[in-house]
Amino acid sequence: MIDAKGVIRGTSNSTNQNIVGQKTTDRNVKDVIYNTRTYQQVSYNKTTNTRYFVSIVPLINTAGATNNLTGVVYIRANLESVYQNV
């Protein structure tokens, strides 16, 4: 979870809790915060030979007369088990 100012507010990765409270450096997250449009991509890490699905979804507060960006949810899923079954 990343707030509307780009500050990381939470992570499900227990070994990476040190990033909470820091500003994101991910360009795609910044683009979603600016444009409020969902971003999705399948990426490949050459170092670990691993495929990932990345989805960055804006959280919009629709209460009241205006729609305000509350933050974004960043999801990265390992796709290797899917490719092994193909």
Side-chain angles (χ1 to χ4, degrees), residues 43-52 78-80 84:
S43 62
Y44 180 73
N45 185 327
K46 292 180 184 178
T47 306
T48 61
N49 294 322
T50 308
R51 294 173 188 89
Y52 293 99
N78 188 326
L79 294 176
E80 286 309 305
Q84 288 174 356

Side-chain angles (χ1 to χ4, degrees), residues 34-46:
Y34 180 74
N35 295 319
T36 64
R37 294 186 182 159
T38 299
Y39 170 85
Q40 292 182 339
Q41 177 185 15
V42 174
S43 62
Y44 180 73
N45 185 327
K46 292 180 184 178

Side-chain angles (χ1 to χ4, degrees), residues 2-86:
I2 301 155
D3 70 14
K5 295 181 181 180
V7 177
I8 300 167
R9 295 297 176 186
T11 178
S12 63
N13 186 343
S14 61
T15 61
N16 204 17
Q17 292 294 316
N18 60 324
I19 65 168
V20 175
Q22 296 181 13
K23 277 199 110 105
T24 184
T25 57
D26 190 303
R27 178 183 50 84
N28 297 320
V29 170
K30 292 177 182 181
D31 287 345
V32 171
I33 290 171
Y34 180 74
N35 295 319
T36 64
R37 294 186 182 159
T38 299
Y39 170 85
Q40 292 182 339
Q41 177 185 15
V42 174
S43 62
Y44 180 73
N45 185 327
K46 292 180 184 178
T47 306
T48 61
N49 294 322
T50 308
R51 294 173 188 89
Y52 293 99
F53 173 73
V54 175
S55 180
I56 307 169
V57 181
L59 297 174
I60 308 293
N61 181 357
T62 58
T66 61
N67 294 337
N68 295 321
L69 179 75
T70 302
V72 299
V73 175
Y74 179 97
I75 300 167
R76 187 176 85 164
N78 188 326
L79 294 176
E80 286 309 305
S81 63
V82 175
Y83 280 94
Q84 288 174 356
N85 291 330
V86 174

